[in-house]
Structure formats: structure tokens, C-alpha cells
Amino acid sequence: MKIKRLVIPHELMDLNRYVNAERSNRFQAAKIKKENTYRCAVAIKAAMNEGLKIYDEELPLDFRFQWYVPNKRKDKDNIAFAKKFILDGMLQSGLIENDGWKQVGNFKDEFYVDKENPRVVIELVTRTE
């Protein structure tokens, strides 16, 4: 098992805000998804430029998400919804070819409060040495 790590700076959109946007204007929701996915893709591309690479023999990957939020106001399930943006960002950046069962294994979520530095730390756990 090998662990590769990357960081998405800042908070991502939570499920409640996304659903509210979708109900008010479907184009607004599409814009939010595009913006959040792009933010993730940029951070992932930066990690790739620093050497992050995934090889086919390491698939499927298990994901450990560490969600650092500024406070405890949002429910954890609403926060973790942002996995969608992260996985789509991995596709957009070219880190993984697809986000199906062959590439994506299991998820584990951990939640912390960091008022000064909200972010998402993702550990990609390979199943090979």
C-alpha cells in the first residue's frame, strides 16, 4: 500500500447550497459545478506538476478525505458532497481516466475544524507496493 496526497485549498460548495441554487436556476447550479470542479482540477494539476501520478496497476484507489472546515455549522454529509467536484476535477486534470469502479475503490471521510485554513486533504491509497 502506498499513500499519495494532495490538497484542495478553501472550502467547496456544500450540498444544501448547491440544491438551493439548482432549484432557483438550473443554469446557476451548472455554473457552480463547473467552478468547483475547475478549482479542484487546478489544485490537482499543481500536484501533478509536483510529481503526483497514478499508474494503472495502482487502481482502484481508495480515498481518504480530510475535510477542514471553519466551523461546525454544516452537516458532515453536506460537506462530503463535494467529493463529486474532486473526482470530476481528477478527470478534468487527467489524473484518472474515469471515475468508475475500476478506478475508484472505497471512501473514508474525516472532519476537522480549522477556522484559519479551510481545505480538503485527499489521501489516495493504492493497493500495490
Side-chain angles (χ1 to χ4, degrees), residues 11-15 36 40 65 67 77-87 120:
E11 271 190 291
L12 297 170
M13 175 69 68
D14 65 85
L15 179 59
N36 279 263
C40 293
F65 294 91
W67 305 94
D77 58 334
N78 290 326
I79 296 165
F81 159 77
K83 285 182 191 128
K84 177 65 178 163
F85 305 131
I86 295 169
L87 290 172
V120 184

Side-chain angles (χ1 to χ4, degrees), residues 8 11-15 17-22 25-42 44 81-93 99:
I8 309 292
E11 271 190 291
L12 297 170
M13 175 69 68
D14 65 85
L15 179 59
R17 287 178 35 216
Y18 181 80
V19 168
N20 288 339
E22 192 172 47
N25 182 330
R26 67 185 169 115
F27 298 110
Q28 181 65 23
K31 180 181 176 189
I32 288 168
K33 182 182 180 308
K34 184 177 181 179
E35 289 170 353
N36 279 263
T37 299
Y38 177 76
R39 286 176 51 199
C40 293
V42 167
I44 293 162
F81 159 77
K83 285 182 191 128
K84 177 65 178 163
F85 305 131
I86 295 169
L87 290 172
D88 288 351
M90 288 180 179
L91 286 168
Q92 189 173 322
S93 66
D99 58 357

Side-chain angles (χ1 to χ4, degrees), residues 9 13 28 30 46 49-51 59-60 78 85 93-94 116 128-129:
M13 175 69 68
Q28 181 65 23
N49 289 339
E50 293 176 11
L59 300 173
N78 290 326
F85 305 131
S93 66
E116 304 300 322
T128 60
E129 287 296 320

Side-chain angles (χ1 to χ4, degrees), residues 40-101:
C40 293
V42 167
I44 293 162
K45 199 65 162 167
M48 291 170 68
N49 289 339
E50 293 176 11
L52 178 64
K53 185 161 175 66
I54 302 300
Y55 299 96
D56 285 342
E57 59 270 10
E58 296 175 321
L59 300 173
L61 295 170
D62 290 335
F63 293 81
R64 180 177 170 213
F65 294 91
Q66 298 169 350
W67 305 94
Y68 291 85
V69 295
N71 54 53
K72 295 182 179 180
R73 291 185 186 145
K74 297 176 186 173
D75 293 339
K76 292 177 179 181
D77 58 334
N78 290 326
I79 296 165
F81 159 77
K83 285 182 191 128
K84 177 65 178 163
F85 305 131
I86 295 169
L87 290 172
D88 288 351
M90 288 180 179
L91 286 168
Q92 189 173 322
S93 66
L95 181 63
I96 58 176
E97 287 183 25
N98 196 351
D99 58 357
W101 287 64

